[in-house]
Amino acid sequence: MQWSDDAVVYQIYLRSFADADGDGIGDLAGLRSRLGYLRSLGVDALWLNPCFRSPQVDHGYDVSDYFTIDPAYGDLAAFDALLATAHEQGLRVLLDLVPNHCSTQHPWFLEAAAAPPGSPERARFHFRPGRGPAGDEPPNNWQSVFGGPAWTRLVDGPYPGDWYLHAFDPAQPDFNWANPEVEALFDDVLRFWFARGVDGFRVDVAHGLHKHPDLADWPGGEGTHNAHMWNQAPVHDVYRRWRKIADEYDAAFVGEVWVPSAQELAPYQSPDELGQVFSFDLLVQPWHGPSLREAIDRTQAMVGADSAAAWVLANHDVHRAVTRYGQEQVLDAPDATDMIAAARREGPADLELGTRRARAAVMLLLALPGAAYLYQGEELGLPEVLDLPDGARQDPIWLRSGGTELGRDGCRVPMPWTPDGPTLGFSPDDSRPAWLPQPATFAALAVSNQDADPRSMLTLYRRAVAARRTAFPASEATRPLHWIDTGDEHVVAFRRGSATCVVTTGTTSFPLPPAWGDVLLASGPVADGTLPPDACAWLSAVPDGEAPHPLTPAAAGTTKES
Ligand code: NOJ
């Protein structure tokens, strides 16, 4: 078992967490000053979105130097200080590795742009002549994730004319992973940060590194999963190699992998590769018992017996949970070619309803066997900010779609720490404005308002993270859960070890069978032993030797476990 198998990991979107130097952008010193807050949440580890030197076109996912910190966030000394303080306080630190692409400002790309076609400098990327008589059509039909062709033509420099591949923004050229120099670079990057004491990495676009060797046209057409661009077999050699390096340091990985099936996901998850991949399957499900249960089953089957799942309900790429769960719930299976779209729907949201469900959802998440990843601000119940002024938006998705797609700025709005002050305590009072404006509604949700309120989302998070340790202990992290048939598909219940988790996803309440034990924690009011709709409860153990958790006849007709 690895330390991360059961970890509760808090995701820091550094730019939006806490600003110490007053430039309106969160930084390492700000984070360091707030580590006490993370301790009070009880999490085991932090994952920081990329903080390496970067022109910030995609807020750090366009790296120009993998061996230093971006000046907007601090410097190596500030990083070392953060790491040391985090470790003193018992918090591990994961960084975010971006191996699929770098920035057009990375020295290698600058060298490639200045070198002739066919040169070793260009061979670190995918450069190709264009098609058509004038070479002014892209070399193949691949589309970028952020919209438009995945190729951009070099127009400047001494050797213009060829095109380079970028799965995301033109500012993010894809590395050629068939080139051993690229492999060697990332071995060095891993060792550099592991030697500094970093405890692991989240791996960005982990399924993207290798491309079809001929960069052949994708015959499936636009809008289908491009199996020439993603998930090529040699990528698994990369992770087997990285696993050996990580094992020298007891370091962990968690992969961001979007592939159409659990079968294709499984090798990335295996302990001799990354050991953890996010279960986006759960994240993209509607608030609907059978869908949630099926996603949990699929993930558990994918994970197998020798590693642990990485559960997640929100991150910096999707709409916030209270908004998603407050919208109309779409029951169609998420589109396998663009699963993330299911977590970025627009439309009106009932935030009170969404908040009740988000409270229940996080308790479900924390009861599942494996690691749980919590995105900053979810513990405050922040909604997605859908009405940012157009001029404030910075996401390349917004910019590249010509404003037709809102993009991801709405889940990246800076944290409200206090109900007043020009940036709600995010920056010192005399600072520049926060890099994205906070809506007035954030004031009521500020940390200092929720701190001592027993009914707040923050209090629920703190209680749930603490109760998880005893109710669902680490020794159970890789063991399967046992479903309990409640007789109502909208009441999802399972036992893990000696505790039970039950979630009401429908419109009816659920009388808790006394045999399930005492309520340890509930996300909503339990009156007369009854759990209301859109709520979750954890119930305590029954003594060893007793039949585990029979349902009372009053609660449901059948007693069955699978
Ligand atoms: C996935 C990251 O989570 C996202 O924020 C980023 O834009 C893309 N990868 C490209 O690096």
Side-chain angles (χ1 to χ4, degrees), residues 58 61 101 146 168 202 204-205 256 316-317 408 412:
D58 190 19
Y61 287 99
H101 46 263
F146 289 167
F168 294 87
R202 177 256 190 195
D204 188 58
V205 201
E256 185 218 21
H316 63 293
D317 290 330
R408 304 160 296 178
R412 300 173 176 180

Side-chain angles (χ1 to χ4, degrees), residues 184-455:
L185 169 68
F186 280 91
D187 287 1
D188 290 349
V189 172
L190 289 177
R191 287 188 189 283
F192 177 85
W193 293 103
F194 287 155
R196 269 196 130 76
V198 164
D199 300 288
F201 281 96
R202 177 256 190 195
V203 181
D204 188 58
V205 201
H207 55 304
L209 278 44
H210 279 271
K211 309 293 189 284
H212 184 287
D214 305 329
L215 302 178
D217 267 343
W218 171 241
E222 243 182 83
T224 61
H225 172 78
N226 181 343
H228 286 172
M229 193 163 171
W230 309 112
N231 195 33
Q232 302 292 299
V235 79
H236 297 295
D237 299 333
V238 176
Y239 300 130
R240 279 190 284 269
R241 172 193 183 95
W242 287 9
R243 168 51 53 201
K244 293 201 180 83
I245 298 175
D247 282 349
E248 292 172 34
Y249 301 88
D250 189 25
F253 293 115
V254 55
E256 185 218 21
V257 182
W258 295 92
V259 286
S261 70
Q263 287 76 1
E264 289 156 288
L265 197 51
Y268 295 88
Q269 164 80 31
S270 101
D272 67 340
E273 294 197 23
L274 295 171
Q276 266 188 13
V277 292
F278 288 119
S279 169
F280 294 125
D281 195 349
L282 183 65
L283 185 158
V284 299
Q285 296 306 324
W287 187 248
H288 174 245
S291 306
L292 296 172
R293 181 173 160 162
E294 283 161 22
I296 292 167
D297 275 342
R298 278 191 299 269
T299 295
Q300 288 289 100
M302 181 277 293
V303 163
D306 51 2
S307 66
W311 304 104
V312 58
L313 288 175
N315 64 29
H316 63 293
D317 290 330
V318 299
H319 285 178
R320 286 198 176 272
V322 302
T323 300
R324 288 201 329 259
Y325 293 136
Q327 289 171 317
E328 187 191 345
Q329 300 299 292
V330 179
L331 296 191
D332 304 342
D335 174 0
T337 63
D338 186 11
M339 277 169 74
I340 210 167
R344 287 210 296 245
R345 291 187 212 280
E346 290 180 38
D350 174 343
L351 294 182
E352 273 181 33
L353 176 66
T355 300
R356 284 201 297 279
R357 291 174 173 171
R359 289 170 67 91
V362 74
M363 283 187 61
L364 168 65
L365 185 88
L366 288 166
L368 292 170
Y373 287 76
L374 310 176
Y375 177 48
Q376 82 180 32
E378 291 291 293
E379 78 280 13
L380 302 178
L382 299 182
E384 184 75 11
V385 184
L386 293 164
D387 57 354
L388 282 167
D390 288 357
R393 292 187 182 276
Q394 302 197 8
D395 186 351
I397 294 183
W398 161 260
L399 301 170
R400 265 178 85 73
S401 70
T404 56
E405 277 190 58
L406 291 185
R408 304 160 296 178
D409 292 311
C411 63
R412 300 173 176 180
V413 175
M415 288 274 284
W417 293 95
T418 55
D420 35 43
T423 60
L424 306 178
F426 169 68
S427 298
D429 274 355
D430 54 353
S431 304
R432 305 214 349 233
W435 73 277
L436 282 174
Q438 298 150 304
T441 50
F442 269 31
L445 297 168
V447 171
S448 64
N449 274 354
Q450 298 201 34
D451 234 350
D453 178 352
R455 293 153 311 162

Side-chain angles (χ1 to χ4, degrees), residues 20-42:
D21 66 4
D23 63 357
I25 296 174
D27 47 42
L28 292 169
L31 167 58
R32 185 158 168 250
S33 73
R34 296 284 187 185
L35 287 178
Y37 173 71
L38 301 174
R39 272 212 354 251
S40 82
L41 258 179

